[in-house]
Every structure is written in C-alpha cells, then in structure tokens.
Amino acid sequence: MNDISFTASDGWLKKFKTRNNIKFKNIHDERAAADLSNISEFKTKFIQIAKKYKTQDIFNADETGLFYKAVPTKSLVKDDFEYLIKKGVKERLTLLLGCSLEGEKLTPVIIGKSATPNA
C-alpha cells in the first residue's frame, strides 16, 4: 500500500477543502496575545464603572491603518496574459475611529507621522 502515484486534480482538492471546511485564512490575531485569566474580574469591574455613565457617554475607539495608495496585488487574468507587479506602495495613514454605545459615530481622526518616530 505504498502507492505514491496519486495526483489530485484541482477539482478534487477544491471538493476536499469544501468537505472538510478548510479555508485560506490569515492565522495571526491580537486575541492570542490577550491574558484570559482575568476576564470575569474585569467584566465585573467594568460593569460597575459603566453604570455611573449614560449610554450616550460611553465610547469605544480604535486605530487602524489605511494604505491609501495601495493597489490590488491579485486579480483574475487569462493564463497567457503577461503582467508586471511593482513593489507595493507602503504609504499609509493611521485613523482613529470611534462610536458611542448608542451608535453615534465620531468623525474619523487622522493621526499623522511623527517627525522622530520611536521604535
């Protein structure tokens, strides 16, 4: 039973991935860096603090990067189509986005580059 002549077609591989729920995903995430041991204690403290405020006064904010000159690096093209991909443009802005517990959206804030960035 050591037959190594098996070759899988694209269709076989696609159906195998579908049957086994295999997807192409990025496997990095900030959740892996979180300390989960104190969640229940934090939730209790947070609820006590939040009760002191009106829901319209509770906001969540986070920063995100916007690569405003980036172009797609993948596309559907014919097999015989010749194309050149230049190195990606890495110019970006950092945005601060936020909204209230009631859904009021804040105007996005653009965070500029530091003249002397600290690592």
Side-chain angles (χ1 to χ4, degrees):
M1 293 308 274
N2 291 332
D3 183 13
I4 58 172
S5 62
F6 172 76
T7 55
S9 67
D10 289 342
W12 180 91
L13 182 58
K14 182 178 180 180
K15 289 177 185 176
F16 176 82
K17 291 189 324 187
T18 301
R19 274 192 312 271
N20 293 285
N21 199 24
I22 297 172
K23 305 230 185 316
F24 181 75
K25 292 183 176 183
N26 289 330
I27 56 173
H28 65 279
D29 197 342
E30 290 182 9
R31 291 178 289 181
D35 178 14
L36 303 178
S37 63
N38 297 326
I39 287 179
S40 60
E41 181 183 340
F42 173 79
K43 282 183 180 180
T44 304
K45 285 183 180 180
F46 180 78
I47 290 170
Q48 290 172 353
I49 293 169
K51 283 181 181 179
K52 299 176 185 177
Y53 298 92
K54 296 177 184 173
T55 55
Q56 68 264 24
D57 294 333
I58 299 174
F59 284 81
N60 183 33
D62 202 358
E63 65 182 45
T64 185
L66 172 65
F67 292 90
Y68 62 94
K69 287 189 178 180
V71 295
T73 58
K74 295 181 182 180
S75 183
L76 296 173
V77 294
K78 290 181 69 173
D79 195 26
D80 59 352
F81 181 74
E82 291 188 28
Y83 53 92
L84 296 173
I85 298 176
K86 293 182 177 181
K87 190 173 182 179
V89 179
K90 296 185 179 175
E91 292 184 47
R92 77 177 235 165
L93 295 174
T94 301
L95 300 175
L96 179 68
L97 305 173
C99 71
S100 75
L101 188 59
E102 289 191 346
E104 175 192 353
K105 296 175 184 161
L106 298 176
T107 303
V109 176
I110 297 174
I111 303 169
K113 287 186 176 181
S114 173
T116 56
N118 297 323

